[in-house]
Amino acid sequence: MPSLPAGTARVSTGAHDAALNTQPPLPRQLLVTPDVASRTQIATFASQLAQALARGIRLVQLRNRSLDADGYRALAESALALTHAAGAQLILNPPQHVADLWLDAANGVHAGTVPKADGWHLTSARLLACHTRPPDWKLVSAACHDATQIAHATRLGLDFITLSPVLATATHPLATPLGWPAFSALAEQTSLPVFALGGMRADTLTSARHAGAYGIAAIRAFWPTA
């Protein structure tokens, strides 16, 4: 894979207000979508995503751990139509076996099957396995949980990271929360924009910003219940 092209250096501030100097500023709120277990649920998912976009969400991570490649592609195509119509950006985070297939698209075998989204989100395990930034994506983000992962994401020149879990979360009830002091110490170790994830609510943004976050990421806080 090629290295990060010249001219795409990041610009940072002490409050982690950085964004690519070739891109408009990132939104402060990142919606991580809930799981869709089957293709029969895509229509309901699309209706709820449309509501989230109508409420102002402009950055969406399409996370899924249940669908096969065809199912996730159908989900992504539906989400892409909605996000782009709203002027929002969509970042792919498919099941591991789909990621294994699609991240090899550079060899041309599967390139035509990958949805034309705005970016790709790396799991922490895949992040550490990368030697260079995945090519051909406008935005590349990664899930980080410790200093080693943050340092690697910084070396790769990614566009932003999520750092979690900050607070207790029902999504990962057995995970030990970092808490705001530890979050702040870790966020200070990178020039990349850091989104606080885990236990976030819409009204947590101010606390997160004071702790050094660029923004917040959440599922329940930004996802309509009906």
Side-chain angles (χ1 to χ4, degrees), residues 6-98:
T8 55
R10 276 71 181 160
V11 179
S12 62
T13 70
H16 297 281
D17 287 344
L20 273 174
N21 61 8
T22 56
Q23 301 290 346
L26 290 166
R28 300 285 181 182
Q29 297 178 332
L30 167 62
L31 165 63
V32 181
T33 61
D35 201 55
V36 173
S38 73
R39 295 182 69 164
T40 61
Q41 298 176 355
I42 292 178
T44 299
F45 174 92
S47 175
Q48 291 173 291
L49 177 58
Q51 292 178 54
L53 294 166
R55 295 174 184 176
I57 289 295
R58 291 296 177 265
L59 184 61
V60 179
Q61 181 197 125
L62 189 64
R63 182 184 183 276
N64 186 270
R65 295 294 176 262
S66 301
L67 297 172
D68 59 15
D70 288 341
Y72 186 81
R73 184 183 303 110
L75 182 69
E77 289 172 350
S78 175
L80 274 169
L82 291 168
T83 52
H84 286 181
Q89 298 183 89
L90 185 73
I91 297 173
L92 303 182
N93 182 6
Q96 180 177 333
H97 66 281
V98 178

Side-chain angles (χ1 to χ4, degrees), residues 119-209:
W120 190 279
H121 182 74
L122 301 169
T123 64
S124 55
R126 191 172 295 278
L127 164 68
L128 293 178
C130 287
H131 299 293
T132 58
R133 173 191 168 104
D136 304 324
W137 297 100
K138 182 171 68 175
L139 295 172
V140 181
S141 60
C144 294
H145 311 287
D146 58 37
T148 298
Q149 294 165 0
I150 291 172
H152 194 59
T154 305
R155 284 194 296 270
L156 293 182
L158 303 190
D159 297 290
F160 66 91
I161 63 172
T162 59
L163 179 55
S164 66
V166 182
L167 305 177
T169 171
T171 306
H172 299 286
L174 300 181
T176 301
L178 292 167
W180 287 119
F183 173 90
S184 295
L186 288 168
E188 281 296 324
Q189 297 180 27
T190 182
S191 59
L192 303 179
V194 180
F195 283 79
L197 173 63
M200 297 297 105
R201 305 183 308 272
D203 60 1
T204 314
L205 179 59
T206 298
S207 297
R209 298 270 289 141

